[in-house]
Amino acid sequence: MRYSNPHLPASEYTANNKHELREMFKLLVIAILIIAGVVFLIDRLVYLFSPYIPFSWESTLVENIPLINKNIEQKHTDIKALKQEKMLQKRVDIIASNMNLPKDMKITAHYLEGATVNAFATLGGHVFVYHGMLEKIKYQEELDALLAHEIAHVYKRHITQQMSRAILISVILTTAKLNHSGFGRWLLGDGSNIGLLAYSRVAEQESDENACHISLKLHGHTQGVVKLMQQLNLVAQQQGYEWTKSHPDTKSRILFAQQYRLGEQKLKPMKLLF
């Protein structure tokens, strides 16, 4: 005698399929939530504890990052470029001496050719300023505000935090073999950027506050910070969304700097630095 499965009515068969799909969907959602929760929890721990990583480790790590190392080892032969870099280092030393930096935290200034209107800090206390940025700056107080802002990124260990978080997320997803999945690509890409964006804006606000405090200490006012933010506001208008992805609204930054301003003291032209 041959056995065969009983024939189920169509309605019962459809109901079973729907039930199984619902259960599978629930399990998938639960798995995604657990993975996201674990990543978020570890991410927060890394963000909180990464500032305690010895600063000397940063300097060692920089030597193994070709892109950063290439800019650090760049030697200028042009007299004007050498003069610019020497001037930047002088201002950096003055600003650093007015901050409570750890003894092993050395800040090194670098001048970069190019029309890019930007400045940035990297691991190991290296601060880079593009020629295009210097062309936009008219006053000493503006330059000091810019450098104080970038030095704050080093001092507050913002770069260490961001890099540690990015590496962590990548390692977790690679270990879980999710780095090539749609969810993994989203978390490594847009999903991760959402978190990085929130933290980077907090970092920018902390650095703005440091720029204001240093400006008050060195110059007695924050007009240099205001002037700098007005220049950056013009850049934001030109670059649009790309700038606002990683920077707070420049108008709010101007208002923040203006609340510290004490008096209308005359600003010193940049040419006096040479």
Side-chain angles (χ1 to χ4, degrees):
M1 178 178 178
R2 297 180 62 184
Y3 175 80
S4 61
N5 291 324
H7 179 71
L8 295 175
S11 59
E12 186 176 344
Y13 178 78
T14 303
N16 286 339
N17 274 349
K18 286 183 178 179
H19 178 72
E20 288 176 1
L21 286 173
R22 281 198 299 269
E23 288 299 313
M24 185 175 69
F25 180 73
K26 285 180 181 178
L27 290 174
L28 182 62
V29 170
I30 291 171
I32 290 174
L33 289 175
I34 290 173
I35 292 171
V38 170
V39 171
F40 177 77
L41 178 61
I42 299 176
D43 171 76
R44 286 299 297 164
L45 291 174
V46 168
Y47 179 78
L48 292 171
F49 290 104
S50 55
Y52 298 100
I53 295 173
F55 185 75
S56 58
W57 291 13
E58 284 192 26
S59 301
T60 303
L61 182 60
V62 163
E63 297 174 3
N64 299 305
I65 302 178
L67 182 61
I68 299 177
N69 208 23
K70 179 183 176 182
N71 287 329
I72 291 173
E73 292 183 343
Q74 178 182 340
K75 302 298 181 185
H76 296 291
T77 54
D78 181 68
I79 295 176
K80 184 178 180 181
L82 287 168
K83 198 173 182 181
Q84 295 273 34
E85 195 161 84
K86 184 178 180 181
M87 176 272 294
L88 287 172
Q89 187 62 55
K90 182 179 179 181
R91 299 312 301 175
V92 160
D93 290 341
I94 292 172
I95 293 166
S97 67
N98 281 275
M99 293 174 63
N100 189 30
L101 300 181
K103 292 181 180 179
D104 65 338
M105 189 175 281
K106 177 176 172 54
I107 308 297
T108 306
H110 302 273
Y111 170 77
L112 294 177
E113 298 284 359
T116 304
V117 182
N118 199 11
F120 61 93
T122 64
L123 294 170
H126 297 277
V127 173
F128 297 84
V129 183
Y130 278 97
H131 174 73
M133 185 77 251
L134 290 178
E135 278 195 323
K136 296 290 184 181
I137 293 176
K138 298 178 181 179
Y139 304 103
Q140 291 183 32
E141 290 85 353
E142 277 185 89
L143 179 62
D144 286 349
L146 174 70
L147 294 175
H149 177 98
E150 297 304 332
I151 293 172
H153 282 313
V154 178
Y155 174 50
K156 297 287 187 179
R157 311 301 296 279
H158 294 152
I159 310 137
T160 309
Q161 288 175 323
Q162 303 291 54
M163 182 166 284
S164 298
R165 295 175 69 236
I167 291 172
L168 169 75
I169 293 172
S170 180
V171 168
I172 289 176
L173 292 179
T174 301
T175 303
K177 299 188 184 302
L178 290 172
N179 52 317
H180 296 302
S181 68
F183 172 68
R185 286 195 297 272
W186 175 82
L187 200 53
L188 284 170
D190 293 340
S192 176
N193 289 337
I194 291 171
L196 290 173
L197 175 60
Y199 290 125
S200 65
R201 288 189 172 181
V202 170
E204 291 298 320
Q205 289 166 357
E206 288 182 350
S207 294
D208 283 350
E209 186 174 350
N210 184 75
C212 288
H213 289 164
I214 291 298
S215 294
L216 286 172
K217 196 170 184 179
L218 292 179
H219 308 294
H221 57 82
T222 61
Q223 291 183 65
V225 183
V226 174
K227 290 286 184 183
L228 175 65
M229 294 306 165
Q230 288 171 343
Q231 285 289 353
L232 295 180
N233 191 41
L234 294 176
V235 174
Q237 291 173 4
Q238 294 167 359
Q239 295 185 2
Y241 179 64
E242 287 304 312
W243 177 272
T244 57
K245 279 171 66 177
S246 61
H247 291 76
D249 175 62
T250 46
K251 291 181 180 179
S252 65
R253 297 173 77 182
I254 292 170
L255 291 173
F256 177 80
Q258 285 176 332
Q259 71 177 343
Y260 286 90
R261 186 165 52 186
L262 302 175
E264 293 289 336
Q265 298 189 25
K266 189 175 180 180
L267 299 174
K268 306 179 191 70
M270 273 283 289
K271 62 182 180 182
L272 296 180
L273 289 174
F274 297 97

